[in-house]
Amino acid sequence: MSWFLKKKEENPFLVLDIGTEAVKSIIAQKNKDKIKILSYSLNYLRDPYLGCSKDDLANNLDEVFRNQTSQPIEKLKEVEALVLLPPENFYARTADCEIERDSESKISGEEKESILQKLLNQAKTKISNEFSKEKGILPEDLSWLNIKILEKQINGYPLSEFKGYKGKQIEAKILTVFALESCLNTLKKTFEDLNLNILKILHPAEFIPEFLPIKIENGIIFDVGGRKTQLFFIRANKLEEIKTLDRGGWNFSERLFNNLTFSRAESRELKEEYSANLLTPETAVKIKNIFEAEKKEWRNDILELKSGFENVFFFGGGALLKDVRDFFDRKKILFPEHFKKILTSKKEIEKMPQFTPCFSAIMFKEKNVQKNL
């Protein structure tokens, strides 16, 4: 019986996470009420300054297809893919929007649709104008991939639905996910050249905090990537705000590269050995001293952001650096092993927090996902 006809097994699917320093991918398959990891791959970019090339993607995909043995490779190349893009050209922001109705009357179904459209348009206008001022990019150069309402209020009272309620003051917190249209078109061409069947381009803001392995009522989540770190502020179990820092684990590798006689690849490997406590005490102290200048830069960026939040959570490859986590008392790394519904025989991936977003994306796929590309 061919793999796509087996009972109680769904078709395999691909999760592709393109970062600012590395490409990660997973092939997974649902079987009954569990999801099994068939294979995974992690490859560092040839040149992080230039970003992810088509060759970087092709090499990673070739490896993840070859690493599994249960499915025909040619069939796997036809599977649907969830794709996470680097924060250098893929953005998520929240907007607080409000409109005032003419009266306090009960909201009808027709008016509800009008209210929703006004709020979504207001969010797009607000975010695009802010982005234009920051980056010098015209609003018409943006491509919107997802816009959804996170919170609704009427006259200050939270609710899940506008229809049937009375009130004059309408408020909403709205999540927007967007990209530069030129970058998105380039990526679409690359995906087409590689024959990737894209189900959805997904931003972590779309699965945080709902599809993380633990429930987070209040706190900050750090996705410590290579050249960028994304911060997700959670309050009352809801996403409140997103910020991005122009630094990540790569910056620590660069400190070693600039201070020692190692190549960039050797500097990265030394940083990873330091993070895993594999160095001698004497060498670890030397590395720690080199990292002190970078740590001060982190401190300056972070301390002003964490006001009002005690609990801090980390994932991403840079999360393993204790120098990034030292500023916080109540901290926890979110590892793939915390996802109890996802099974893998490849135990090494369970301790790799750079794969946590991929695991969250797998859980996200459990819901009905519509194509957005």
Side-chain angles (χ1 to χ4, degrees):
M1 182 180 291
S2 61
W3 61 267
F4 55 89
L5 292 178
K6 287 182 180 179
K7 292 182 179 180
K8 298 183 180 179
E9 281 191 352
E10 296 184 6
N11 290 347
F13 59 92
L14 172 72
V15 178
L16 179 64
D17 183 359
I18 305 171
T20 54
E21 188 182 19
V23 183
K24 290 83 65 181
S25 59
I26 285 177
I27 293 177
Q29 183 178 29
K30 185 174 181 181
N31 188 346
K32 298 181 181 179
D33 61 340
K34 298 290 184 181
I35 300 169
K36 184 179 180 181
I37 302 300
L38 303 182
S39 66
Y40 75 92
S41 179
L42 184 152
N43 303 95
Y44 288 97
L45 305 183
R46 294 181 182 181
D47 190 343
Y49 283 106
L50 297 178
C52 184
S53 67
K54 183 163 73 174
D55 286 342
D56 287 321
L57 280 180
N59 290 337
N60 179 270
L61 292 171
D62 181 63
E63 184 173 301
V64 78
F65 290 145
R66 286 187 290 103
N67 282 349
Q68 63 79 43
T69 58
S70 62
Q71 311 293 349
I73 290 179
E74 289 307 313
K75 286 294 183 183
L76 282 176
K77 291 180 179 179
E78 300 173 3
V79 301
E80 293 181 327
L82 288 173
V83 180
L84 288 84
L85 297 180
E88 288 180 321
N89 49 33
F90 187 48
Y91 309 91
R93 296 193 180 186
T94 58
D96 293 317
C97 300
E98 60 180 43
I99 58 176
E100 187 172 335
R101 299 175 65 219
D102 294 332
S103 71
E104 297 271 353
S105 62
K106 185 181 293 187
I107 297 173
S108 66
E110 182 179 353
E111 187 186 5
K112 181 202 77 170
E113 295 302 321
S114 175
I115 288 171
L116 292 177
Q117 194 59 54
K118 288 178 182 177
L119 289 170
L120 297 180
N121 289 340
Q122 187 181 133
K124 287 173 63 174
T125 299
K126 191 172 185 178
I127 294 296
S128 60
N129 287 340
E130 290 176 359
F131 196 76
S132 179
K133 289 179 182 178
E134 292 175 20
K135 308 288 186 180
I137 296 169
L138 297 176
E140 53 264 34
D141 292 332
L142 301 179
S143 181
W144 302 91
L145 293 168
N146 192 13
I147 305 177
K148 69 174 184 178
I149 296 179
L150 301 176
E151 298 177 38
K152 304 184 185 80
Q153 290 186 1
I154 294 183
N155 292 351
Y157 292 97
L159 39 78
S160 58
E161 174 63 85
F162 288 131
K163 181 181 176 181
Y165 287 88
K166 297 180 179 181
K168 198 169 184 180
Q169 196 66 31
I170 306 289
E171 297 175 286
K173 182 177 288 292
I174 298 175
L175 171 67
T176 63
V177 178
F178 59 99
L180 300 182
E181 187 168 12
S182 58
C183 292
L184 191 61
N185 289 337
T186 300
L187 281 167
K188 287 167 67 175
K189 179 64 168 60
T190 299
F191 295 152
E192 290 171 2
D193 291 344
L194 294 172
N195 295 315
L196 278 176
N197 179 16
I198 306 300
L199 173 61
K200 181 177 175 63
I201 290 180
L202 183 65
H203 193 282
E206 296 177 77
F207 55 67
I208 290 176
E210 183 178 0
F211 296 100
L212 292 175
I214 63 174
K215 186 175 182 179
I216 298 176
E217 293 283 351
N218 298 282
I220 308 176
I221 301 167
F222 282 74
D223 179 3
V224 188
R227 295 163 61 90
K228 300 279 186 179
T229 294
Q230 296 188 90
L231 285 72
F232 303 90
F233 296 81
I234 309 300
R235 199 181 298 275
N237 200 38
K238 294 180 180 178
L239 179 64
E240 184 175 82
E241 190 176 8
I242 307 151
K243 291 185 179 293
T244 302
L245 300 180
D246 292 325
R247 60 183 70 254
W250 180 85
N251 298 77
F252 287 92
S253 300
E254 284 294 284
R255 295 284 180 177
L256 297 178
F257 175 73
N258 292 326
N259 284 275
L260 303 174
T261 57
F262 294 144
S263 68
R264 280 195 164 89
E266 291 169 333
S267 297
R268 185 187 68 241
E269 291 169 4
L270 182 60
K271 176 197 68 180
E272 291 172 351
E273 291 174 352
Y274 167 81
S275 299
N277 296 317
L278 299 178
L279 302 177
T280 64
E282 295 79 10
T283 303
V285 169
K286 183 176 181 180
I287 300 302
K288 185 177 180 64
N289 290 336
I290 293 174
F291 283 168
E292 196 59 38
E294 183 63 28
K295 192 173 177 179
K296 288 180 180 177
E297 296 290 337
W298 275 84
R299 182 185 294 112
N300 293 337
D301 285 343
I302 288 173
L303 292 184
E304 64 182 53
L305 295 174
K306 72 169 189 173
S307 177
F309 293 90
E310 293 185 358
N311 300 311
V312 182
F313 304 86
F314 294 86
F315 57 75
L320 294 172
L321 272 166
K322 49 184 170 290
D323 303 82
V324 172
R325 308 192 310 271
D326 276 349
F327 311 108
F328 308 98
D329 296 322
R330 300 173 66 175
K331 54 203 171 187
K332 181 181 180 68
I333 299 177
L334 302 180
F335 288 103
E337 67 179 354
H338 296 138
F339 291 83
K340 302 306 180 185
K341 195 174 181 179
I342 301 177
L343 306 177
T344 177
S345 60
K346 306 173 189 306
K347 297 301 180 183
E348 63 276 8
I349 195 177
E350 295 182 350
K351 293 291 187 181
M352 300 172 70
Q354 52 266 65
F355 278 97
T356 298
C358 290
F359 275 58
S360 287
I362 289 172
M363 298 309 300
F364 176 89
K365 190 181 181 297
E366 285 284 84
K367 285 196 169 183
N368 183 30
V369 180
Q370 301 296 322
K371 283 179 177 284
N372 69 349
L373 185 65

